[in-house]
Amino acid sequence: VNQILLLLLVLTVCAILYNKVHQVPLALKNETVDLESPEEMEEEIPVVICAAAGRMGAAVAAISSIYSNTEANVLFYIVGLKTTIPHIRKWIENSKLKEIKFKVVEFNPMVLKGKIRQDASRPELLQPLNFVRFYLPLLIQKHEKVIYLDDDVIVQGDIQELYDTKLAPGHAAAFSDDCDLPSTHEMIRSVGMQNTYMGFLDYRKQTIRDLGISPSTCSFNPGVIVANMTEWKHQRITKQLEKWMQRNVEENLYSSTLGGGVATSPMLIVFHGKYSSINPMWHIRHLGWSPDARYSEQFLQEAKLLHWNGRYKPWDYPSVHTDLWENWFIPDPSGKFKLTRPDS
């Protein structure tokens, strides 16, 4: 009996020693994983930018400015049409932007069939890629939060700050209010630009009046969007936007002769009273509304994001504050895209 007890004791001691010896590497392994996981799980910031034919230099400059001013883990979704995708891919892969993380996404313009009312006054506003922002959940599958930027912007701040914009519960998107910065009021007055719903919707139409939205309500600019994809899908935002596009085809509720053309107006209707606000300095607008009206240099240096919305683009002539834009421009390796300058 004593021998059996002694044998059991020896076996128990051996088992304890064995477990201790073999648990140490396991503990160290777990600890190592925990130490490495924050870097491995660094949050990805998806940024959607369109690359349209004739404007690819704009997309490249926007991407360059974002990439150069942040340490964040940015993933660029570059959206184009089938005919333009090879050009933008070659531009990126054969320039200093080859280090960026990006995916090229093809947009099928057939989704817009029957939803756009033809308007000859400003045909550029009817280009298919102007409506990419309506279809974000169809293009971006795995992200909860997404940034959408028009191509005619330059980012001077850290894009992480914009991504950290808080969206109120139940809000699918955040925009910049067109009445948010006193510094922009003089610019708006000088170019005769509308910053209320009256400038975008035709209040002579009963359908618009039935919305119950005061024509003096301040508009917002959807050229910079921070979007919550879960809320967007839950509220069926894309379907709502498409409904108003189709109603415009039938009733001519808004047109490109008004302030925002055909892409802004349905968003003003669908998101009325249901959006969060972006920090005003993260969307300084109207730089493209006049070839003469200028902001002060000090104000522009403090701005986090500059937007040349309007007809006068910084890659064309005439335009204002082109030096700030050209700082981030990367020449086209193929030579197809060229800047228009007074001496060119």
Side-chain angles (χ1 to χ4, degrees):
V1 173
N2 289 338
Q3 288 178 339
I4 293 172
L5 290 173
L6 181 61
L7 179 60
L8 290 173
L9 179 62
V10 170
L11 290 173
T12 301
V13 171
C14 289
I16 292 171
L17 291 173
Y18 178 87
N19 285 336
K20 285 187 176 181
V21 168
H22 286 80
Q23 281 177 359
V24 170
L26 183 61
L28 288 175
K29 182 179 179 182
N30 287 339
E31 185 177 355
T32 301
V33 170
D34 289 340
L35 288 173
E36 292 179 355
S37 60
E39 182 177 350
E40 290 178 359
M41 298 181 67
E42 181 185 2
E43 189 170 21
E44 207 167 51
I45 298 179
V47 177
V48 179
I49 295 180
C50 296
R55 297 173 61 117
M56 288 190 197
V60 166
I63 292 168
S64 171
S65 69
I66 295 166
Y67 181 65
S68 300
N69 287 305
T70 188
E71 296 294 327
N73 181 22
V74 180
L75 173 59
F76 293 97
Y77 284 86
I78 303 170
V79 186
L81 302 180
K82 187 175 183 178
T83 54
T84 62
I85 283 175
H87 186 185
I88 192 66
R89 185 185 294 277
K90 183 178 179 181
W91 197 331
I92 290 171
E93 292 177 349
N94 290 277
S95 71
K96 63 181 182 182
L97 290 180
K98 62 186 176 183
E99 303 298 330
I100 70 170
K101 290 172 59 179
F102 74 100
K103 292 182 179 180
V104 176
V105 181
E106 181 183 342
F107 182 69
N108 184 355
M110 289 304 295
V111 301
L112 302 172
K113 188 175 181 180
K115 301 183 183 75
I116 301 177
R117 185 183 184 87
Q118 295 304 311
D119 194 324
S121 60
R122 291 193 66 187
E124 75 276 9
L125 296 177
L126 303 178
Q127 296 302 315
L129 294 182
N130 282 339
F131 301 92
V132 162
R133 71 198 90 190
F134 290 14
Y135 297 94
L136 292 176
L138 302 182
L139 300 168
I140 313 300
Q141 302 293 335
K142 67 174 185 174
H143 301 283
E144 167 74 9
K145 197 174 186 182
V146 173
I147 294 173
Y148 167 87
L149 299 176
D150 276 354
D151 60 3
D152 51 356
V153 306
I154 286 298
V155 175
Q156 300 185 137
D158 186 341
I159 199 71
Q160 181 75 54
E161 292 179 27
L162 181 60
Y163 185 75
D164 289 340
T165 298
K166 301 296 184 185
L167 273 67
H171 285 179
F175 306 100
S176 289
D177 210 63
D178 277 333
C179 304
D180 55 10
L181 269 181
S183 307
T184 66
H185 294 173
E186 184 177 344
M187 172 75 80
I188 291 170
R189 284 194 298 270
S190 68
V191 299
M193 181 183 174
Q194 291 285 342
N195 63 344
T196 66
Y197 273 58
M198 175 67 84
F200 295 85
L201 305 178
D202 189 349
Y203 276 84
R204 295 171 298 178
K205 302 295 173 65
Q206 187 62 44
T207 300
I208 296 299
R209 294 199 297 272
D210 288 346
L211 291 170
I213 302 173
S214 169
S216 62
T217 301
C218 189
S219 55
F220 58 81
N221 186 300
V224 176
I225 307 172
V226 181
N228 181 312
M229 292 292 93
T230 299
E231 280 295 336
W232 193 292
K233 288 181 279 191
H234 175 70
Q235 297 179 33
R236 297 169 62 85
I237 296 295
T238 297
K239 289 295 183 185
Q240 292 188 58
L241 292 167
E242 287 184 326
K243 181 192 82 169
W244 284 103
M245 292 169 75
Q246 289 168 334
R247 293 200 68 172
N248 183 58
V249 170
E250 298 162 3
E251 303 178 47
N252 195 21
L253 303 175
Y254 50 84
S255 74
S256 58
T257 56
L258 296 175
V262 293
T264 297
S265 300
M267 299 196 84
L268 291 177
I269 296 171
V270 171
F271 284 101
H272 174 252
K274 295 184 292 187
Y275 66 90
S276 298
S277 296
I278 290 173
N279 181 327
M281 297 306 289
W282 266 100
H283 194 178
I284 303 303
R285 304 175 292 289
H286 319 312
L287 276 74
W289 272 89
S290 167
D292 303 308
R294 302 174 65 92
Y295 287 113
S296 74
E297 293 300 325
Q298 180 180 352
F299 177 69
L300 293 179
Q301 287 173 8
E302 295 171 356
K304 304 289 188 177
L305 182 147
L306 305 177
H307 188 184
W308 278 263
N309 59 311
R311 296 173 183 263
Y312 302 97
K313 304 302 184 185
W315 55 90
D316 280 336
Y317 180 84
S319 56
V320 296
H321 303 297
T322 54
D323 55 324
L324 294 174
W325 182 87
E326 207 166 330
N327 282 339
W328 306 107
F329 174 69
I330 298 172
D332 182 0
S334 73
K336 295 177 183 176
F337 182 94
K338 293 182 173 63
L339 302 181
T340 303
R341 295 293 181 255
D343 53 352
S344 63

